Amino acid sequence: MNTNEIILNYIHKTDDDFFVSLKRKNEGWIVKEWITRKVYFKSNFLTIRIRKYCKFVNNKWQYYNVLSDTLHKYKHIDTEIQKEITKIYLNGLTYRKIANIYSLHHTTIFNIVRKNYYQDIKLNNLKKYNVESESKNTIYISMDDTYFKAKKERNHITKIKARMINFFLLDENKKPICKNHLIILSSPKNNWTIDALVRKILFIIRFFYSNKLKIVISGDGAKWIRSLANRLKAKYILCKYHLKSKFNVIFNNSNQLKYELNQLYQKVNVNLKDLIIDNLRNNNYRFILNFIINNWNDIYNAFDEKRAKLLYEFINYIKSNLKGLEEITKDDLIYYGNTAESYVSHLIKSRINQDYSIFSLKTIIQKIVNPFNYSQNNIQIELINL
């Protein structure tokens, strides 16, 4: 007799014993009907037929069957299957689709997933790379902020900010290795101070890598990233994607722009768009600043107000991030472009973005950390007043 048959016989015997017991008679349970239930195992399931009991108490009907006491709640579904269901859900499938796969009700799937969540967020889920760091000279830290909505209460949606700080080394082919990810979740207006961020980053470098490594920070030019680079005495690389996107907003291919550039050409004898493109390509950022500042009156008069305002913001963006543009160029051996947005997309957005769904913060954290994922992401979650 195999294990499944032993379990089946045990459930039937328990049901028969309860039917003839004094406990059933004393508590007032009567047989309402016979019901069919499935007991799920890793490789198959068994169908059992047992009695369903009922009694009328305080103007309400109460129901009972021995399966709930024999195997406890959801234990008619094998532990391995429960883990598999939770894994499938965290990887993106909805409750109803999983329910269709296993022929269960979607509320059962919902409760199984909640039951199998890790009860506590592991605050230290990073991996040590001290040995790998011995042969390296530089540690790279890419940073970015992203925002998403979370369900705080039944009918209350709140906005959450995720500040993502990614640590990695580079191999001989300049591919990221030895990655760790720190994600700080807070409301949009709550932040760690720069001092607190500095202490946290230095601790991670010292404990998980090596304090002998030189630091290179990359980001989108936000003030907090520039401040961190200065406080950590790190080299700073501005992500050129943001510079290019701001340029493309100003210098689109509209007929209005062509007309305005022609008007400006008649005054300064140069095509401003071509001039900026050439000097961006040759890293002559200060020349761009000086030219626009010296010819600002002519530019302002030739451009419409909105485009002039965007150009003003563009040169301020360059001015604020000159260190990130000039300190390390693409020809430098330690240069490496910003990867923060790809990490945000892969480790956060792709896991929590689902059509017509807004999850609770607990579900979002589980989806990000995802202990059932096939790969180890080395993610540490920190919460600020949430």
Side-chain angles (χ1 to χ4, degrees):
M1 185 179 294
N2 59 37
T3 304
N4 293 356
E5 291 174 337
I6 293 173
I7 293 173
L8 189 63
N9 290 337
Y10 175 72
I11 294 171
H12 281 151
K13 183 179 184 304
T14 303
D15 187 32
D16 292 338
D17 290 345
F18 183 75
F19 176 69
V20 299
S21 68
L22 289 175
K23 179 182 178 181
R24 177 182 73 82
K25 295 177 182 179
N26 293 336
E27 293 180 359
W29 292 106
I30 60 174
V31 178
K32 182 178 186 295
E33 60 187 348
W34 286 86
I35 56 175
T36 302
R37 291 292 182 266
K38 292 179 180 177
V39 180
Y40 289 84
F41 299 95
K42 180 68 176 177
S43 57
N44 62 349
F45 64 87
L46 296 176
T47 302
I48 61 173
R49 190 166 179 266
I50 55 176
R51 299 172 182 87
K52 180 178 181 179
Y53 301 92
C54 65
K55 65 179 177 180
F56 197 70
V57 180
N58 297 329
N59 294 322
K60 290 183 180 179
W61 282 102
Q62 295 181 3
Y63 300 96
Y64 169 77
N65 67 73
V66 297
L67 192 62
S68 57
D69 280 349
T70 306
L71 297 178
H72 307 294
K73 198 170 186 180
Y74 309 121
K75 288 298 178 69
H76 64 288
I77 302 172
D78 185 68
T79 303
E80 291 300 317
I81 292 183
Q82 292 189 42
K83 290 182 179 180
E84 187 70 21
I85 287 172
T86 307
K87 175 181 177 181
I88 293 172
Y89 172 75
L90 291 175
N91 284 328
L93 218 56
T94 64
Y95 295 122
R96 292 182 183 273
K97 289 181 179 178
I98 300 172
N100 291 335
I101 293 173
Y102 289 95
S103 300
L104 296 168
H105 196 275
H106 70 272
T107 55
T108 302
I109 300 297
F110 173 86
N111 289 323
I112 288 173
V113 170
R114 289 298 183 274
K115 176 179 173 292
N116 280 277
Y117 272 175
Y118 285 177
Q119 296 301 313
D120 299 314
I121 301 169
K122 292 185 178 180
L123 296 181
N124 187 13
N125 202 28
L126 303 182
K127 186 176 180 181
K128 285 191 172 186
Y129 294 108
N130 306 101
V131 175
E132 293 85 345
S133 299
E134 292 177 0
S135 60
K136 304 296 179 182
N137 297 317
T138 307
I139 183 170
Y140 294 82
I141 309 175
S142 63
M143 308 177 180
D144 199 13
D145 283 341
T146 189
Y147 299 84
F148 56 82
K149 293 180 179 179
K151 189 182 294 183
K152 193 170 185 180
E153 298 173 1
R154 185 177 182 87
N155 295 311
H156 184 199
I157 306 300
T158 187
K159 190 175 184 180
I160 302 293
K161 177 175 70 177
R163 177 156 289 180
M164 192 167 192
I165 303 176
N166 309 284
F167 302 79
F168 59 93
L169 307 174
L170 294 181
D171 65 10
E172 60 275 8
N173 297 315
K174 297 195 76 172
K175 292 184 178 180
I177 57 172
C178 306
K179 294 177 280 189
N180 279 313
H181 309 279
L182 172 64
I183 302 176
I184 305 167
L185 302 181
S186 68
S187 63
K189 293 184 179 180
N190 281 340
N191 298 298
W192 272 0
T193 64
I194 295 299
D195 288 340
L197 280 174
V198 168
R199 288 194 297 270
K200 184 67 176 180
I201 290 171
L202 289 177
F203 170 78
I204 291 174
I205 294 174
R206 182 174 65 253
F207 189 77
F208 295 96
Y209 295 93
S210 168
N211 56 9
K212 297 180 180 180
L213 295 173
K214 296 179 181 178
I215 304 172
V216 173
I217 289 178
S218 61
D220 61 3
K223 184 178 179 180
W224 69 273
I225 298 177
R226 302 198 307 267
S227 298
L228 267 179
N230 289 331
R231 290 291 303 278
L232 292 167
K233 298 180 181 179
K235 292 186 179 296
Y236 171 50
I237 301 174
L238 176 70
C239 176
K240 301 293 177 60
Y241 167 81
H242 296 279
L243 191 65
K244 183 179 179 182
S245 63
K246 291 178 183 294
F247 173 85
N248 289 337
V249 171
I250 303 168
F251 296 98
N252 51 37
N253 293 319
S254 67
N255 290 329
Q256 177 65 24
L257 172 64
K258 294 176 182 177
Y259 172 78
E260 293 172 4
L261 287 174
N262 186 51
Q263 291 292 103
L264 181 61
Y265 183 85
Q266 295 176 18
K267 295 181 180 180
V268 299
N269 199 33
V270 67
N271 185 299
L272 182 62
K273 180 179 179 180
D274 293 340
L275 179 141
I276 294 177
I277 289 174
D278 290 342
N279 284 279
L280 285 178
R281 188 178 293 121
N282 295 314
N283 301 321
N284 295 325
Y285 304 107
R286 294 181 187 273
F287 179 84
I288 296 173
L289 290 177
N290 292 332
F291 182 87
I292 293 177
I293 291 171
N294 293 334
N295 295 278
W296 179 249
N297 288 335
D298 291 332
I299 294 172
Y300 185 82
N301 291 328
F303 284 4
D304 65 39
E305 185 176 352
K306 182 178 179 180
R307 198 184 311 278
K309 182 180 178 181
L310 289 172
L311 183 60
Y312 181 80
E313 293 172 352
F314 178 73
I315 62 172
N316 274 339
Y317 183 73
I318 293 177
K319 186 177 180 181
S320 299
N321 289 281
L322 275 174
K323 179 181 178 181
L325 291 166
E326 295 179 335
E327 190 170 27
I328 303 177
T329 64
K330 286 188 176 181
D331 298 329
D332 199 307
L333 291 176
I334 65 170
Y335 178 86
Y336 191 79
N338 185 33
T339 58
E341 291 197 0
S342 63
Y343 288 132
V344 166
S345 176
H346 175 63
L347 297 178
I348 299 180
K349 292 183 177 180
S350 66
R351 298 188 180 187
I352 67 175
N353 286 351
Q354 189 169 307
D355 292 342
Y356 314 112
S357 297
I358 298 177
F359 304 103
S360 68
L361 182 60
K362 182 178 179 181
T363 300
I364 288 170
I365 291 171
Q366 289 295 324
K367 280 178 167 287
I368 293 173
V369 176
N370 196 350
F372 299 102
N373 196 8
Y374 67 91
S375 62
Q376 175 58 260
N377 292 315
N378 305 334
I379 297 174
Q380 178 176 334
I381 302 285
E382 297 278 1
L383 303 181
I384 302 178
N385 299 328
L386 290 177

